[in-house]
């Protein structure tokens, strides 16, 4: 059964902005750390951004630092990824994921619940 659903992907030009939304199906997700990951063909999934259940701590991949921002309003079940100044190399399928472990982590292995993904394509 679907528990996390991503939306907001699309085709944009380099320099544009895009907002991705992750919606959880159950209120229990407001007690989990959340993350956004991305994957391109032939490569492993990589962390884009992560946020604690409180929303007070954020972590970002070096490649998106200063351009992307993760948030979870009211420490709730919706997690937002605001992407500004998009680059061609940001093109990927973006996945929302949940970490049910009480210790905040940015490790891929720590996230065990995943959405279906949303495609982001950045053209030059």
């Amino acid at each position: 059964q679907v528990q996390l659903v991503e939306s907001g992907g699309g085709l944009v030009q380099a320099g544009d902005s895009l907002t991705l939304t992750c919606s959880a199906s159950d209120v229990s997700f407001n007690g989990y750390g959340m993350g956004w990951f991305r994957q391109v063909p032939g490569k492993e999934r990589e962390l884009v951004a992560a946020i604690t259940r409180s929303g007070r701590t954020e972590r970002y991949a070096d490649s998106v630092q200063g351009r992307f921002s993760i948030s979870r309003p009211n420490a709730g079940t919706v997690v937002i990824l605001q992407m500004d100044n998009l680059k061609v190399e940001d093109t990927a399928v973006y996945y929302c994921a949940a970490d049910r472990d009480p210790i905040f982590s940015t490790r891929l292995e720590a996230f065990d619940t995943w959405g279906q993904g949303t495609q982001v394509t950045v053209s030059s």
Side-chain angles (χ1 to χ4, degrees):
Q1 186 62 249
V2 175
Q3 294 181 292
L4 298 174
V5 178
E6 305 96 333
S7 63
L11 174 62
V12 297
Q13 293 184 323
D16 285 354
S17 295
L18 204 58
T19 302
L20 304 185
T21 300
C22 174
S23 180
S25 61
D26 192 272
V27 69
S28 63
F29 281 89
N30 65 14
Y32 305 149
M34 302 291 292
W36 284 96
F37 294 78
R38 65 187 182 188
Q39 187 169 22
V40 299
K43 296 184 178 180
E44 296 184 350
R45 286 167 292 170
E46 64 176 4
L47 174 74
V48 177
I51 191 167
T52 57
R53 65 183 185 179
S54 69
R56 292 195 290 265
T57 302
E58 306 160 27
R59 295 289 184 270
Y60 299 94
D62 290 342
S63 59
V64 306
Q65 184 73 47
R67 299 187 298 117
F68 291 10
S69 178
I70 189 172
S71 64
R72 59 188 312 171
N74 303 310
T77 57
V78 175
V79 180
I80 306 297
L81 183 67
Q82 177 65 44
M83 304 184 293
D84 296 325
N85 192 24
L86 283 160
K87 302 177 179 180
V88 172
E89 52 263 42
D90 294 319
T91 296
V93 177
Y94 283 71
Y95 297 91
C96 177
D99 172 18
R100 294 178 294 172
D101 191 280
I103 301 175
F104 181 57
S105 177
T106 58
R107 294 180 295 107
L108 174 66
E109 295 79 9
F111 294 81
D112 51 19
T113 303
W114 297 83
Q116 80 284 3
T118 185
Q119 177 71 48
V120 173
T121 302
V122 185
S123 65
S124 61

